[in-house]
Amino acid sequence: MKLTVENYYSNEANRHYLSKSIFTDFERCEAAALAKLNGDWEPQRDEKALLVGNYLHSYFESPEAHQAFLDEDKGDGTNADKMIAKTGKNKGKLKADFQVANAMIDRLKADEAFNQLYIPGQKEVIVTGEIHGVPWMGKIDSLDLENEFFYDIKTSRDLHEGAWVKTQEGRNIKVPFVQAFSYDLQMAVYRELIRQTFGVTCQPLIFAVSKQTPCELMGITFDGDDEQALLDTALERIEEKQTHIKAVVDSKEEPVGCGKCEYCRGKSTISNNLVGATQISLG
Ligand SMILES: [Zn+2]
């Protein structure tokens, strides 16, 4: 299957190729991820956060891409219209989240390193390849093959907030947002897919922006030994889990429900969720 701008986000592409979002969806809950992939279920999501991300990314992609984003209409009004507050203190003006997004854009626009590195790169480059024998796809925010770097813009509420995750041994540890959102795995995959597509090993650099006032700008590098180890560990995690995930996508193995997420909650009945009083899972 040949990937294009038109079919990149299609169900067909998602069935053929693994991607960071499909892989991590399946890691969180196989039952929910499969239902979403089959079009049987849509998660309740915060559409505004998605719009803010696309607003920011398209701005730095090109004026045409940004206009296309503003004009996009899936039958419930254009994105530009959705950004305007209909009630409250901002009535008739941009909603607060998009005022913050504009401040984030202004800060990046004025940043010297961002202008030197991110802006000249080739934008939204689709890459494919195989990771341990399974087809994967990715889309690079900004790629600079000449200087052997690729760049990704990430937004987060607070870059220092961190999140609790469970280790394989079952211990709860707090990790920075990069690991919490599997951006380390994404960078490891992209580095490998760029190498297979173009024959160049590029290093990742994340331009992170917080959604605070004023926002924090951070350049996150991966060239230290600990960071390179982080990328290697992410590829090992893929090798360990993807055979089963791919078999579930291909309907060769049954999905396992996590029993706690939005999808599983909606499917729970007293008889399929009968639990001993001391056996109720926590967190
Ligand atoms: Zn679940």
Side-chain angles (χ1 to χ4, degrees):
M1 181 189 177
K2 174 95 182 114
L3 278 187
T4 62
V5 176
E6 284 75 32
N7 70 14
Y8 184 84
Y9 292 107
S10 68
N11 276 346
E12 196 195 355
N14 282 332
R15 296 196 149 277
H16 186 79
Y17 295 98
L18 286 182
S19 63
K20 184 259 181 180
S21 59
I22 294 285
F23 183 85
T24 52
D25 273 0
F26 274 87
E27 271 188 318
R28 271 191 295 275
C29 177
E30 295 173 10
L34 188 68
K36 193 172 144 193
L37 193 62
N38 289 339
D40 296 336
W41 172 74
E42 266 297 324
Q44 299 279 329
R45 70 171 99 187
D46 178 8
E47 199 198 5
K48 216 158 44 178
L50 194 74
L51 286 180
V52 166
N54 290 343
Y55 178 72
L56 187 85
H57 273 84
S58 65
Y59 183 89
F60 291 110
E61 184 186 345
S62 67
E64 297 75 32
H66 195 55
Q67 194 56 49
F69 164 79
L70 293 172
D71 294 341
E72 186 186 29
D73 185 348
K74 291 180 180 151
D76 56 349
T78 62
N79 286 338
D81 190 47
K82 286 180 192 167
M83 291 163 53
I84 304 294
K86 307 289 181 291
T87 55
K89 69 174 167 54
N90 291 323
K91 189 177 174 182
K93 292 192 292 185
L94 278 179
K95 287 176 185 166
D97 296 61
F98 294 97
Q99 294 187 20
V100 172
N102 275 340
M104 292 157 90
I105 287 175
D106 288 343
R107 287 289 298 283
L108 284 171
K109 251 164 68 174
D111 189 82
E112 200 182 331
F114 184 78
N115 277 293
Q116 278 175 8
L117 301 172
Y118 188 92
I119 295 295
Q122 201 186 338
K123 307 297 186 305
E124 303 291 324
V125 182
I126 292 171
V127 285
T128 56
E130 285 195 351
I131 300 199
H132 300 295
V134 172
W136 276 72
M137 63 177 179
K139 209 183 210 185
I140 315 300
D141 279 358
S142 177
L143 175 63
D144 181 356
L145 289 171
E146 206 175 316
N147 293 304
E148 301 178 355
F149 266 97
F150 67 96
Y151 309 106
D152 206 293
I153 302 175
K154 296 294 184 204
T155 64
S156 187
R157 200 167 56 165
D158 174 344
L159 305 181
H160 304 277
E161 196 169 46
W164 290 97
V165 296
K166 214 176 213 93
T167 65
Q168 286 188 327
E169 297 80 39
R171 274 183 309 122
N172 284 316
I173 55 163
K174 200 169 195 185
V175 295
F177 84 100
V178 171
Q179 288 104 301
F181 291 104
S182 294
Y183 295 147
D184 50 349
L185 181 135
Q186 187 179 15
M187 296 304 114
V189 167
Y190 284 6
R191 186 175 67 172
E192 186 54 25
L193 298 182
I194 292 168
R195 192 186 65 74
Q196 291 183 27
T197 306
F198 300 104
V200 183
T201 301
C202 295
Q203 289 303 324
L205 178 56
I206 292 176
F207 293 103
V209 195
S210 77
K211 297 177 179 175
Q212 295 155 308
T213 304
C215 52
E216 178 175 1
L217 299 186
M218 187 187 281
I220 302 172
T221 65
F222 291 82
D223 42 7
D225 289 346
D226 288 348
E227 286 74 21
Q228 291 286 312
L230 201 64
L231 299 181
D232 292 341
T233 306
L235 291 180
E236 286 164 18
R237 179 169 131 210
I238 289 174
E239 186 176 17
E240 185 189 309
K241 295 181 176 174
Q242 71 173 0
T243 310
H244 171 62
I245 289 176
K246 192 69 186 151
V248 175
V249 170
D250 295 340
S251 310
K252 289 173 185 155
E253 286 177 30
E254 287 297 312
V256 179
C258 73
K260 286 181 291 200
C261 74
E262 184 193 332
Y263 175 81
C264 291
R265 280 201 317 270
K267 294 285 172 195
S268 60
T269 63
I270 300 299
S271 45
N272 76 11
N273 201 24
L274 203 56
V275 184
T278 61
Q279 302 301 316
I280 302 168
S281 65
L282 299 172

